[in-house]
Amino acid sequence: PMDSTEAAAIVKRIEQRLRVPDGHQWAALKKSKKSLIRWGDGETRAARYRSIPIQSKSLKTALLLRRLLAEYRPDSHYLLGLPLPFIRAASRESIPPERLANWDATLRLLDALLPADSLVLDSFMFRTTKGVRRTTPQVALDSVVRELEYSKLFVVSNRNNWNAIRPGIPQNSHFVEIPEKDASSAIPRVRREINQLKDLHTKTLLGLFAGGPAMKALAFQETTIRLID
């Protein structure tokens, strides 16, 4: 485990590389017309070739996630979401004890891989948070559906998530189902379905996805359509 002095030094180096949009981050995401990939505990574990409850360890996913950080540039097709409330926390006491070891690993990974002048958003943008000081207001699913541009919407997620959000999704949206665990096993099929959607809908295609590290690795590779994590 890191001591407070080491952690503070790493956080300072990371903060010097970050560029956070002024004002409402949701407006910046809309204007960018880019994908959004949010980084969290699961991505850190997967990038370190570790298993998580919803996904077995995968060397391919680990390498893609590391590239997602290391190759991030102003002209990348995606914006990166980082846990800004924890990065900006005044002390390590704000980090839940059970997450501290993985948080230290996240800091080391960002310190080693994240380039300078990285434009980032808050990975908590769409999440309800407790005990965390937000850096931007929470964005509801309704805003995502109403305010982003698309001619066809599709959702990549497991069946339970789909059933939960379906009332707020346009009726003609397409659902690409993935398993609750080991979504990486479904990636070839997900790619085929996305390519079929591209062939059918030549105008603006928008995908919403929730599938853990494997789907974020896919979003990193998919450069021709917009995917929101």
Side-chain angles (χ1 to χ4, degrees):
M2 292 186 197
D3 60 34
S4 297
T5 301
E6 181 186 7
I10 291 178
V11 167
K12 184 176 181 179
R13 289 197 296 268
I14 292 170
E15 285 192 308
Q16 290 172 343
R17 302 179 215 171
L18 301 184
R19 183 161 51 91
V20 181
D22 294 329
H24 203 311
Q25 295 177 32
W26 172 235
L29 176 60
K30 288 190 293 183
K31 184 178 179 180
S32 74
K33 300 186 184 301
K34 294 184 176 186
S35 295
L36 174 66
I37 304 175
R38 298 181 301 115
W39 192 278
D41 288 351
E43 286 64 55
T44 292
R45 288 191 59 82
R48 297 173 64 221
Y49 192 50
R50 305 287 197 275
S51 296
I52 60 175
I54 63 169
Q55 185 175 310
S56 301
K57 61 184 179 181
S58 161
L59 182 58
K60 181 178 181 180
T61 298
L63 294 175
L64 284 170
L65 290 173
R66 286 172 175 264
R67 286 181 54 197
L68 187 159
L69 293 178
E71 298 176 16
Y72 188 47
R73 300 290 185 273
D75 61 352
S76 292
H77 68 279
Y78 59 97
L79 291 177
L80 179 63
L82 293 181
L84 295 180
F86 290 147
I87 292 174
R88 292 180 166 182
S91 70
R92 288 167 64 77
E93 281 67 36
S94 65
I95 312 297
E98 67 275 11
R99 297 180 63 182
L100 197 54
N102 200 61
W103 176 243
D104 288 348
T106 298
L107 291 179
R108 289 194 174 99
L109 207 59
L110 294 176
D111 189 34
L113 298 177
L114 192 67
D117 194 34
S118 290
L119 178 64
V120 299
L121 305 180
D122 193 336
S123 62
F124 289 89
M125 178 183 294
F126 304 120
R127 293 179 54 185
T128 300
T129 58
K130 293 182 179 180
V132 172
R133 186 174 182 179
R134 309 189 68 95
T135 69
T136 191
Q138 183 179 357
V139 178
L141 175 65
D142 180 62
S143 295
V144 177
V145 171
R146 285 188 298 102
E147 299 177 28
L148 294 184
E149 297 179 15
Y150 57 89
S151 60
K152 181 68 174 182
L153 181 71
F154 69 96
V155 176
V156 184
S157 188
N158 64 59
R159 177 67 59 176
N160 286 336
N161 282 343
W162 170 247
N163 289 338
I165 68 171
R166 191 171 185 175
I169 298 293
Q171 289 187 352
N172 66 342
S173 299
H174 184 79
F175 173 46
V176 181
E177 185 172 2
I178 57 175
E180 289 191 32
K181 293 188 176 182
D182 285 326
S184 55
S185 64
I187 292 300
R189 176 176 54 78
V190 172
R191 284 186 182 281
R192 287 195 300 271
E193 291 199 45
I194 289 176
N195 287 333
Q196 289 170 358
L197 288 169
K198 288 180 188 178
D199 293 338
L200 291 171
H201 304 277
T202 56
K203 294 182 180 180
T204 309
L205 193 62
L206 174 68
L208 310 181
F209 72 93
M215 280 305 305
K216 302 188 192 205
L218 175 62
F220 168 65
Q221 295 177 290
E222 178 52 69
T223 62
T224 60
I225 57 174
R226 191 177 196 185
L227 294 169
I228 303 297
D229 175 13

